Amino acid sequence: MKPYLKLDHIDKSFTRGGTRTEVLKGITLGIDQGEFVSIIGHSGCGKSTLLNLIAGLTKVSAGAVLLEDKEVDSPGPERAVVFQNHSLLPWLTVYENVNLAVAKVFGSTRTRAERHDWIMRNLDLVQMAHASDKRPAEISGGMKQRVGIARALSMEPKILLLDEPFGALDALTRAHLQDAVMDIHARLGNTMIMITHDVDEAVLLSDRIVMMTNGPAARIGEVLDVPLDRPRKRVELASDRTYLRCREAVLKFLYERHRFVEAAE
Amino acid sequence: MTVHALKEHAAEMAAPSRPSEVVALPAKPSSRFDAAALARRVASAVLPPAIVVLAILLVWEAACSSPGASLPPPTQVWSEAYDLIVHPFFNFGPQDVGLGWRILASLQRVAVGFGLAAVVGVAIGALIGQSVWAMRGLDPVFQILRTVPPLAWLPLALAAFRDSNPAALFVIFITAIWPVIINTAVGVRNIPQDYRNVAQILRLNPVEFFFKIMVPAAAPYIFTGLRIGIGLSWLAIVAAEMLTGGVGIGFFIWDAWNSSRLPDIIVALVYIGVVGFMLDRLVAAVGAFVTRGTSAS
Ligand SMILES: Nc1ncnc2c1ncn2[C@@H]1O[C@H](COP(=O)(O)OP(=O)(O)OP(=O)(O)O)[C@@H](O)[C@H]1O
Ligand SMILES: [Mg+2]
């Protein structure tokens, strides 16, 4: 069977002032519908670049991104992104931020009342309905991140791309949002691709973990299956054999075989 | 007024809203204490400038009271320009109207000229800010044109329009437009990539992008430009009217000078200053209202 999303021999290099830096080299990966895939790798290896390629925000230098066999070369709401820094528009309220997306995506297919319900439903999903009239400056970092997730979900994307969505959060909020994302994934069954630095997060959430080698010209070093049943409970998993084995495999990859070497940059 | 100066302006515009909020909050608990506090606050705001004005008037009176003084003292201004001061809206025929009417006539010109400059300036600034090359190519040109004094445009404008009223409007327009263009362009350049990414993912079309992302994101810059622009317009209108004639505060001063009515000129200057100040505050207030939330991202 053909994969739902296919990364086909992707190269990516940036040219600036005559110098060419190769960031990604020969990335090939297939992702099935409904799958949760994490991308992990050291800082600067090109994870965000890869996600932006899938989102269509940057263009590939060679190869192609194929979604349902159609080439993706520009961004669109069917590949929604939860940005690392939430990227809410500060002059709009929480509600209006989500509405911007909903009005654009469903403006012609749903009535005003339906759109309102849909916005509130998505805010409810991340438990942010109570703050719908607040502006981003008035809510906490974790709340902003949740609104960012609600905005992305409200587009009913085929694929949800998450770029270190919990990177800037404290451990408690992080755990809470991880549960929220697992919950949403279970309920909606959409395809999710998430970048993370956090090994536990990767193992807890993913069906597969894509481990990237260090840049420049980063490749996919290894892909690890995480054969854990869902729903997953973090407390029970803490002593689970499979969980620990997966965790160890990722740690070994990151810290033994592909240690972060400053000189290689 | 380069971009650096503009940023200070923006900060200055944003600042006033905060102290007033902080002061206003504790004003609930006890009403007697309130009245005293309020009185003290009003006094601290009103007294110092009142004292300074009084001192200036006294010094002025002392300096200009001698028989050979070339300028009239305040008492003489009061007695001779009494009608002008007390009745701003009298109307005794086409060339003999109160200062209020003249100010309104000037304001009307400023409204048209500045309004056009605001709309055209924001549109051009938005276009230029989108392109690195347009910015590089046009910025030096604008920086030079910006420094041309308003009146230097007047002969050209008179030649082009062959009529004084459109010429005056054009002078306002051309004076006010540069800071609007330059600031808008800088604001558009500075729109964070994040917002552009959001717009791209939503596939906003150029019109939606302009109204939903560009204008609000660049609003602090745009309003800095508008604020500088309205100040320049007010400078330009007075000078332009001196030369083009017609009803207007500028021509009034010129007329008063020609018939040696110095007290009238002094009254007109006070009017001009106060109105200019109010225009500046008006744009600042609108800016603060429109950009609330934007600066705190
Ligand atoms: N627009 C660009 N122009 C030039 N080089 C770029 C550009 N974007 C990214 N790079 C380079 O590509 C490399 C990978 O960057 P990327 O942001 O994808 O890393 P990352 O894996 O997401 O890192 P982190 O985990 O710190 O977010 C970096 O060396 C960076 O300098
Ligand atoms: Mg990154």
Side-chain angles (χ1 to χ4, degrees), chain B:
Chain B
M1 276 170 276
T2 56
V3 175
H4 305 286
L6 305 180
K7 285 192 183 142
E8 282 166 32
H9 266 280
E12 181 192 304
M13 281 166 66
S17 65
R18 269 182 237 142
S20 61
E21 277 171 18
V22 176
V23 178
L25 275 177
K28 290 239 165 95
S30 104
S31 58
R32 269 198 65 206
F33 177 75
D34 265 357
L38 190 77
R40 225 176 301 135
R41 222 168 69 221
V42 169
S44 71
V46 171
L47 270 185
I51 291 171
V52 170
V53 169
L54 198 70
I56 291 175
L57 288 176
L58 284 176
V59 171
W60 176 10
E61 181 75 37
C64 296
S65 300
S66 61
S70 53
L71 292 176
T75 43
Q76 191 190 340
V77 171
W78 177 259
S79 57
E80 285 187 18
Y82 181 78
D83 277 347
L84 280 180
I85 299 170
V86 179
H87 304 292
F89 289 103
F90 67 79
N91 189 348
F92 299 139
Q95 274 307 320
D96 191 11
V97 296
L99 281 182
W101 294 116
R102 294 178 189 274
I103 291 270
L104 282 181
S106 298
L107 278 177
Q108 205 178 345
R109 293 202 180 99
V110 168
V112 174
F114 174 73
L116 271 177
V119 172
V120 177
V122 169
I124 296 180
L127 280 179
I128 292 171
Q130 292 283 55
S131 146
V132 184
W133 284 104
M135 191 93 168
R136 284 190 197 153
L138 289 168
D139 194 57
V141 179
F142 291 163
Q143 294 294 352
I144 288 172
L145 288 176
R146 178 173 75 79
T147 62
V148 174
L151 278 192
W153 293 102
L154 192 60
L156 269 187
L158 283 170
F161 292 102
R162 295 206 194 87
D163 188 8
S164 62
N165 202 35
L169 291 181
F170 175 78
V171 168
I172 308 271
F173 172 81
I174 205 75
T175 307
I177 197 169
W178 308 116
V180 180
I181 294 181
I182 293 167
N183 280 279
T184 305
V186 171
V188 169
R189 275 245 73 76
N190 282 333
I191 295 177
Q193 185 61 39
D194 300 345
Y195 302 169
R196 295 182 184 277
N197 285 346
V198 170
Q200 277 189 292
I201 284 176
L202 291 176
R203 291 213 183 105
L204 297 185
N205 62 40
V207 175
E208 288 168 327
F209 183 70
F210 179 80
F211 285 109
K212 293 189 173 166
I213 307 282
M214 205 188 273
V215 169
Y221 291 87
I222 293 175
F223 273 95
T224 305
L226 290 179
R227 200 171 162 194
I228 298 170
I230 194 109
L232 291 177
S233 307
W234 195 234
L235 293 182
I237 185 66
V238 174
E241 282 175 351
M242 281 193 176
L243 299 186
T244 58
V247 176
I249 193 74
F251 182 66
F252 174 81
I253 292 181
W254 189 242
D255 196 35
W257 160 246
N258 282 331
S259 42
S260 306
R261 298 193 313 266
L262 289 183
D264 290 10
I265 297 184
I266 290 168
V267 174
L269 290 188
V270 173
Y271 265 88
I272 292 172
V274 169
V275 172
F277 174 78
M278 291 194 312
L279 283 180
D280 182 64
R281 282 306 143 109
L282 179 71
V283 175
V286 173
F289 176 75
V290 171
T291 60
R292 70 203 185 290
T294 315
S295 41
S297 53

Side-chain angles (χ1 to χ4, degrees), chain A residues 1-242:
Chain A
M1 198 190 102
K2 275 205 175 149
Y4 180 62
L5 177 76
K6 190 165 182 218
L7 311 183
D8 195 7
H9 297 95
I10 291 175
D11 295 347
K12 176 66 193 175
S13 54
F14 291 102
T15 316
R16 190 162 34 197
T19 51
R20 222 173 115 91
T21 32
E22 266 194 291
V23 177
L24 299 171
K25 183 83 188 151
I27 303 284
T28 296
L29 182 71
I31 294 175
D32 291 329
Q33 190 158 17
E35 205 177 3
F36 196 120
V37 174
S38 287
I39 301 173
I40 200 164
H42 289 292
S43 179
C45 71
K47 304 181 296 293
S48 295
T49 307
L50 182 57
L51 201 80
N52 284 345
L53 290 173
I54 300 172
L57 291 167
T58 38
K59 296 221 175 346
V60 293
S61 304
V65 179
L66 301 164
L67 177 60
E68 293 176 315
D69 275 335
K70 279 196 287 287
E71 182 162 2
V72 161
D73 56 357
S74 66
E78 77 281 0
R79 278 159 289 126
V81 181
V82 177
F83 295 94
Q84 185 159 5
N85 54 356
H86 65 77
S87 293
L88 299 179
L89 304 178
W91 56 87
L92 299 179
T93 63
V94 163
Y95 182 91
E96 289 163 343
N97 263 290
V98 180
N99 183 37
L100 183 71
V102 172
K104 184 65 189 171
V105 177
F106 300 110
S108 53
T109 52
R110 297 187 188 180
T111 67
R112 213 185 174 74
E114 283 172 340
R115 292 201 304 264
H116 171 80
D117 289 344
W118 179 239
I119 293 168
M120 293 317 286
R121 192 126 63 84
N122 280 284
L123 285 175
D124 265 333
L125 210 59
V126 293
Q127 288 149 29
M128 282 300 296
H130 62 94
S132 66
D133 289 331
K134 293 234 163 72
R135 283 172 196 278
E138 299 164 345
I139 58 180
S140 73
M143 291 161 99
K144 281 184 242 198
Q145 210 52 269
R146 281 190 271 165
V147 178
I149 294 172
R151 175 175 65 183
L153 286 173
S154 73
M155 302 176 207
E156 273 193 343
K158 291 179 180 168
I159 298 184
L160 189 63
L161 304 166
L162 306 111
D163 190 350
E164 286 182 49
F166 318 127
L169 304 177
D170 64 281
L172 269 174
T173 316
R174 180 185 266 259
H176 182 74
L177 288 188
Q178 286 166 351
D179 290 341
V181 165
M182 273 197 287
D183 200 40
I184 289 163
H185 181 238
R187 258 194 283 173
L188 307 180
N190 35 10
T191 311
M192 295 196 181
I193 303 175
M194 179 180 75
I195 292 178
T196 179
H197 272 137
D198 182 332
V199 177
D200 286 297
E201 178 171 284
V203 178
L204 178 67
L205 295 181
S206 321
D207 298 314
R208 275 191 300 158
I209 301 174
V210 174
M211 294 174 258
M212 295 185 59
T213 65
N214 288 333
R219 294 168 292 106
I220 292 179
E222 204 174 296
V223 179
L224 179 78
D225 274 307
V226 184
L228 289 168
D229 294 334
R230 292 177 187 274
R232 299 174 180 173
K233 297 261 179 290
R234 67 181 66 242
V235 183
E236 293 165 19
L237 286 179
S239 54
D240 186 285
R241 290 270 282 289
T242 320

